[in-house]
């Protein structure tokens, strides 16, 4: 298969390197220093093994413009949600009538309600696709979903270090993973060394991952704290639990119940030790934050299914203001006027 990785960051780079090592015809869309490094030196992958670090160099074709590569069998989206509108404007040369797009991104994607029969009809995700340009450029029917449960870093351009985890979850938005296109992708990922789970409802797996990330990420971005310090603070942890309960209530309304509780999820995360979330790393690097995909989408859905979310609104407002002051957010206004509030209850004291 001809596979193009769109976004050669840490996760995209790891997937590209693994697929190339498994024998697939891999190319990538990259920019700046990363593009220059991969064109000059190849893509370097560093893995930790029982015998120490193991490094391999993969020679993949990296380009800045999709037109340089042409139509692909599979395009893997590994960009930040904040960059997806730019991708939509440029991706057309990669897409043919039979191209599959594997969506491996954080948060709630533009195609989330495609095939989700348990959700109320006519739900919208303006915060994920404000003007509809993403849906027009990448049809939901072309998408196979992927949830990433691993971590990697890019210590320097063109160099990917696999840190922990090896699990990917893959499934069709309309259900299952037994379609020919999904199985071709799953087989390729497994040959590349990933542990791939097939899922009956990819939206359920997306929602469950979001359920934890939507609190820890913005709290870390606001405070600058690592995960251990956040979870060890009783007040902060309890606030996050209230947000998570509201998100679970939203999930119930759209047919995606959470089969866990905040206390258990916090305990599981705490076992991972001390780490800096992706949103905190973006703030420190001066990059735009993924607040819309991770938080605004939840608020938008909540408003449409009439679930009150005062704690999530507070979280979003604080995180949005923090990022806006730093020039790192220019996104949705879905939570500007929380609909559940009674105007008679407001006022000065």
């Amino acid at each position: 298969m001809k596979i193009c990785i769109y976004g050669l960051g840490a996760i995209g780079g790891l997937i590209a390197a693994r697929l190339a090592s498994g024998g697939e015809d891999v190319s990538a869309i990259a920019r700046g220093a990363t593009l220059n490094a991969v064109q000059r030196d190849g893509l370097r992958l560093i893995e930790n093994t029982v015998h120490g670090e193991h490094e391999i160099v993969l020679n993949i074709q990296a380009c800045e413009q999709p037109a340089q590569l042409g139509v692909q069998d599979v395009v893997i989206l590994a960009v930040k949600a904040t960059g997806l509108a730019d991708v939509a404007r440029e991706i057309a040369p990669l897409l043919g009538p039979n191209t599959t797009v594997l969506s491996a991104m954080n948060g709630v994607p533009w195609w989330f309600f495609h095939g989700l029969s348990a959700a109320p009809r006519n739900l919208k995700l303006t915060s994920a696709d404000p003007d509809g340009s993403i849906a027009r450029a990448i049809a939901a029917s072309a998408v196979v979903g992927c949830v990433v449960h691993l971590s990697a870093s890019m210590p320097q351009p063109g160099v990917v270090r696999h840190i922990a985890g090896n699990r990917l979850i893959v499934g069709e938005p309309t259900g299952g993973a037994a379609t020919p296109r999904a199985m071709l992708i799953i087989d390729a990922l497994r040959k590349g060394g990933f542990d791939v789970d097939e899922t009956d409802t990819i939206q359920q797996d997306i929602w469950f991952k979001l359920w934890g990330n939507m609190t820890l990420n913005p709290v870390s971005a606001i405070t600058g704290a690592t995960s251990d310090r956040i979870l060890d603070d009783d007040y902060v942890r309890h606030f996050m639990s209230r947000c998570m309960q509201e998100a679970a209530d939203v999930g119930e309304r759209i047919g995606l119940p959470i089969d866990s509780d905040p206390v258990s999820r916090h305990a599981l995360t705490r076992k991972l030790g001390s780490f800096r979330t992706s949103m905190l790393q973006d703030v420190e690097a001066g990059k735009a934050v993924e607040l819309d995909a991770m938080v605004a989408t939840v608020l938008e859905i909540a408003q449409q299914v009439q679930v009150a979310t005062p704690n999530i609104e507070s979280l979003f407002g604080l995180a949005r203001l923090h990022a806006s002051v730093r020039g790192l957010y220019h996104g949705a206004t879905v939570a500007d006027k929380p609909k559940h509030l009674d105007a008679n209850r407001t006022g000065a004291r």
Side-chain angles (χ1 to χ4, degrees), residues 144-162:
V144 170
C146 178
V147 178
V148 177
H149 287 287
L150 52 82
S151 60
S153 67
M154 186 167 272
Q156 63 189 74
V159 179
V160 176
R161 181 182 293 275
H162 180 206

Side-chain angles (χ1 to χ4, degrees), residues 309-338:
T309 53
N311 290 286
I312 299 177
E313 288 165 6
S314 298
L315 175 64
F316 179 73
L318 289 168
R320 180 180 60 180
L321 182 60
H322 172 271
S324 297
V325 168
R326 288 158 178 77
L328 306 180
Y329 179 81
H330 307 282
T333 57
V334 65
D336 278 345
K337 296 180 180 179

